[in-house]
Every structure is written in C-alpha cells, then in structure tokens.
Amino acid sequence: MNADQMNADQVLESLGRFGTFQVLFFLCVSFIYMRGAWPVMGILFLGGDPGHHCQVPVNESISDIIPVDSSGNYEKCQIKSLLTNQTTPCSNGWTYGDEFDSTILTEWDLVCDDNFMVDLSSTIYMVGNTFGALCLTPLSDKFGRKWVILSFLWIQGAIGIATAFSSNYIMFTVLRFFIGLLNMPIALTTYVIVTEMFPASSRSFPSVGINCSWGIGLVFLAVLGYFIRDWRTLQLVISVPNFLTVIYAWFLPESIPWLIANRKFKQAKSVAKFAAKMNRKNIPSELLVVPDQEMNEAPGAGQSQEGLLNVKVTKKYTVLDLFKTSKLRRYTLIMFYLWTADSVCYFGILFATPQLHGNQFLNIGISGIVEIPALIICMFIINRIGRRRPLIFFLLLSGIMNIITIFIPTKTDSGVDLVWLQITAAMIGKFGITGAYSLSYLYSSEIFPTVVRNHAVGLSSFFENIGGISAPFIVYATSGTLTYIPLVLFGVVMVIGGTLACFLPETHKKPLPETIEEIEYGTKKSAPVTENTHL
C-alpha cells in the first residue's frame, strides 16, 4: 500500500485491537465517564423529600391538627384550626421525616407552593447541559480532547465544592447550571476520544462499553446517598474525585487521530510508539513518516502528502444539507426523534424511580445495575445481527414494560404485595431504554455521511438535551397520585420510536457513507467493512 494511502486508522490497527495500552486507556476514561452520573442524578438525594407535614404547635396532637387525605396519609400542606375546624396553609413551618439529615428541600423549605423548585433546579441543570454541548464541546476540536476534558473536570470540581457551601437556593441552582454546562462537554469529548483511539474494526465494543461505567456510577451514587444523608457532605464527596484526574496530565494520551488531523505529527508519533511499546507491537516505519517542516503548511486543492497525513479538500456543508434530500431528511428526522425520546425517557425513568414504592436508594442502585447487562448484550448482538433489529427490540421492550406498570396494582385483593412486580417492570423498561440509548449513539455515527456527520451528531445532541430538560417537569407535573403516569407516557414515546426505527437502514458491516450522494443513490463501490467480533 502506498504511503499516501496511510491514515490514522492504519496506525491504530498496527497497535492491535485490545492490548494493554487500549485496556488501560479505556479504564482511565471510564472513570471520567462514571463520575459524570453523579452531578446529573445527585439531585435525587441532594433534593430528596423525606416526607413532611405542617409543624404542629406545642401541646397539640398531630391527629387533631393535621387533616388526613383520601389515602389515609397526613396532608402535607394543610393545618386545621381547633376553634373553627377550617384548614389553612402551613403558617409555622414544616416537620420533616428522618430519611435524610438534610437536603436542599428541608433546608430551604422547598415544599407546598414551592415544591416545583427542586425539579426546576434539575431543569436548569439540563439547560446548562444544552449550552455546554453547543458552545463548549467544539473547543475539543481546537485545543485537543485531553486538555479540554481535564481542564473542564478541574473547573467543574471547584464549582461543585463551592456548591456545597451555597447559602440559598438561587446560589445552588446557578452553580448547578455551570456544573451542567461543563458536564456534557466532558461526557461527549470522553465518548469521542474513546471512539477515536480504537480502530474502526473494533470500535463498537468500547463505544458501547463505555456506557457501562455510567451504570456503575449510578450504583456508587446510590451507595453514597445511602450512607451520606447530609446534602452538603454528599455534594463535596461527588465533587472531589474530579481532582483525582490530576495524575492524568502526565500519562493520559492525546487522541492520535486528533493529533494527525491537526498536523501534530511528532506528538502523534510519540503516542503511537509509546502505545506500541506497551502492546509489544511493531509499527511499520512508513506509517510514522513525519512530513518536513514545509509540508506542514496547508495543502492546496488536490495536494496529497505521505506518512501520517492524508488530506482531501471537500465542499463546505451546513446543517441545512441534512434536509435537502429525501432519504437523508428521513434519517435525520427519525434520529432527532430517537435522541429526544431516549433522553426524555431515560432521565424521566430515573427521576421517577424514587417515587416508586420501596427503598429509593435500592431502586436507584438497581436501575444502575440493569444498565450493565443491557450494554453487554448490546456489545455482542450488534456484531452478529446488526444494529436496526436490536434498536427496535430495545425501544419496544422499554415502551411495553413501562406501559404495563399502570396495570400492576400495589396489592392484590387478597393482600399480596406486588410492589416487587411494579419495580421489576420499571427496571426491565430501564434495561430497554439503556440499550436503545447506546445504540442511537452508535447508529448516528454510522448512518450520516462524513461530510455532515459532525453537524448531524451535534444537532442530535441538542435534541437530546431538550429531552433532558423536559424530563424533570414531566415527572413533577404527574407526581403524587399520578406516580405511574410518567412511565406510561415514556412507554408510548418508546413504542413510537420503535416503529420509526423500522424505516432506518441497516449499517452493520457496511462502509461509512462519505457523501450525501451515497445515501441517496448508493453510488459508493466499496467492499463491506469486516468488524472484529471477538474480544
């Protein structure tokens, strides 16, 4: 093969698929991805509601002062006058349960007329995610994956520590906005560097497997929430680990494809040689040819260069090109819907989980655990039966299992407890949405042509965050007596998504499309890509 045909993927192939270098690299970035679950879902415990009712005056009986609702529980926001027997809103504060020592809800009395404020804080956090994805993620293209990830982690850690010392709700929510602003760029850039550091023939395993660390992060969060019942302490504990990545500054490598694309050939050569030494591999010398200084200037139209560099000048495309042709327009609209649906259902199910009967810490832990087998199954079946059928299956599984939760009573007529069955159905739904979410990420990287792929994935991320913004308020709007309505709503959204996925093409073992014409007319004449199916 001629030198001018060499590219970054060939350098990665020469390093082997799953050597010591790749395994250690994957574990390092998995830690970053894992702790990303903590700022997103930490609000479940930071703003947890231990139960509350109006404070009972001294020398008064709770049964006389606090009215009982239709379910036999004490009213949360009403107190009864013994003189007039009329109920009025709480005027002397609230009494809280003992499930938490302190949360933002109990500290700042975010109940009754202010009971929407915890969910508002979650929504504002998701707004921060959206702005971060749109405005900060592109910085990794300019300054590199490694230093954007690390600098954002350290800044986020400092803001997280400051959040633990918030003196009021507004300060807490504003700081959480900035935590979210940084968290999405960290996650997206981490996902990108994982996919970039593995050759195309073995990329699906790490690109799906990295999501397992998110589920592990949820399990750790449930454990931390169980043992740390004070919100300020918990906020500190989930923020400080960001600074453990200081050691990454010395040994975490920069993305080889990014270095090559940005003409940093000597650094790319250094990283490649270090990786080859760890993996005990020999890289063909022609792959590591560093261009002369004068060849580092921008090439003109039609100019090609040897060794690590292979540049091709192409037409400039915009987001509007996603909608100019029929097939690509259909794929784009379906993928936008799937990203929105995946996000609103994934986060909606998580936010609704504590409202299910049973121990909320255990429920969150189980919801994290069920993600791991879903992703492991994904990693293996997508290399055997493709992408489309598993995506449809996971979407429909999630939809159907969430819908049937409303038909499962808490108890049978004979008094048999069925809470376990409700939670099981919800967790199977979570299993399905996890698989669907991960496959949507992979599908988007394969279905769109190279010339508009970055535009498509970036805009998909915008719709993903719209779903995340909506989720807390959907749960809030149907809280209380309508606990299971959100799960049914999410179920319907997933069933629609499964139906739409039937209109997507299969992308398994097919070369990535490079131009819009290949999508529309199938003009590419290339051999299918053979993907390694063995770990």
Side-chain angles (χ1 to χ4, degrees), residues 407-420:
F407 300 108
I408 303 175
T410 304
K411 291 183 180 180
T412 65
D413 294 337
S414 58
V416 177
D417 191 345
L418 293 180
V419 168
W420 65 271

Side-chain angles (χ1 to χ4, degrees), residues 25-98:
F25 173 81
F26 182 80
L27 292 176
C28 286
V29 295
S30 290
F31 170 76
I32 297 174
Y33 211 77
M34 179 197 74
R35 43 114 331 256
W38 300 345
V40 181
M41 306 312 304
I43 192 66
L44 294 176
F45 303 134
L46 299 175
D49 184 358
H52 60 274
H53 58 72
C54 296
Q55 186 171 336
V56 178
V58 179
N59 299 325
E60 299 290 352
S61 168
I62 185 174
S63 58
D64 293 332
I65 296 296
I66 306 298
V68 176
D69 62 22
S70 58
S71 301
N73 300 315
Y74 287 116
E75 287 280 1
K76 295 180 178 182
C77 303
Q78 298 289 325
I79 191 167
K80 182 169 59 177
S81 169
L82 291 177
L83 296 176
T84 64
N85 205 33
Q86 298 293 316
T87 58
T88 59
C90 302
S91 56
N92 297 316
W94 291 264
T95 296
Y96 296 98
D98 57 3

Side-chain angles (χ1 to χ4, degrees), residues 5 12 59 64 82 92 98 113 130 162 216 225 304 307 330 337 352 365 405 408 413 434 506 510:
Q5 293 176 305
L12 296 173
N59 299 325
D64 293 332
L82 291 177
N92 297 316
D98 57 3
D113 290 342
T130 303
I216 294 171
S304 63
R330 181 170 77 244
Y337 176 86
T405 54
I408 303 175
D413 294 337
T434 299
E506 179 56 72
K510 294 183 179 180

